Amino acid sequence: PQNRDFRSFAEKIISNKCEALNVIGYTNASILLIKQLKELGGNQDVFTNMALSIPSFKELAGESLHGVRYTATNFEKDMNIQSSDFISNYKKSYNEIPTFFASFAYDAVNFIYKNKIENIELITNKEYDYNGSIGQINIKQGNLKTDVSINRF
């Protein structure tokens, strides 16, 4: 994460006429790459993960995120009783809106507690359905599945 200059990489993306770019990496580095790509005139479709939707990262990225697509859980959009309760309790405790990181962590701890899982490796041997703050979660053979949406800044 020490690299601060992605211009040569951005120039290659532009010169090779790439149609789209999927940016996954350290958040600050991802923001720098997107900013530098746009500064150099890149107009590729850019896709990234939900980390850039965190308010502090959105603020850091500023206008460079305009048009960028990102994945996100639906815990704020498709309120269920679990997400509504979680968001309300989180706001009371921390005086801010929770991010999906907090929601995932909350669901992970509750899932382990409610299923009395003492050895995390046991998850790979069973299938679980869990209704959490991010919505319906299915875990099968250690793989987690939940609904996400693709959004645009």
Side-chain angles (χ1 to χ4, degrees), residues 78-97:
D78 299 329
M79 288 283 189
N80 59 42
I81 191 67
Q82 287 81 4
S83 60
S84 180
D85 288 348
F86 169 73
I87 292 169
S88 175
N89 291 332
Y90 191 96
K91 284 180 184 177
K92 285 178 192 171
S93 296
Y94 301 102
N95 202 28
E96 63 183 24
I97 296 171

Side-chain angles (χ1 to χ4, degrees), residues 103-151:
S103 183
F104 270 130
Y106 174 81
D107 283 345
V109 170
N110 274 321
F111 170 79
I112 291 168
Y113 174 76
K114 288 180 179 178
N115 288 286
K116 297 175 179 56
I117 297 173
E118 294 177 17
N119 181 345
I120 205 71
E121 290 179 11
L122 296 177
I123 292 175
T124 62
N125 299 327
K126 281 180 75 178
E127 183 171 358
Y128 299 89
D129 285 308
Y130 176 75
N131 193 13
S133 67
I134 62 168
Q136 187 63 32
I137 301 167
N138 174 267
I139 301 173
K140 184 176 182 179
Q141 296 177 331
N143 294 309
L144 183 140
K145 291 182 184 176
T146 190
D147 291 336
V148 295
S149 59
I150 298 176
N151 303 296

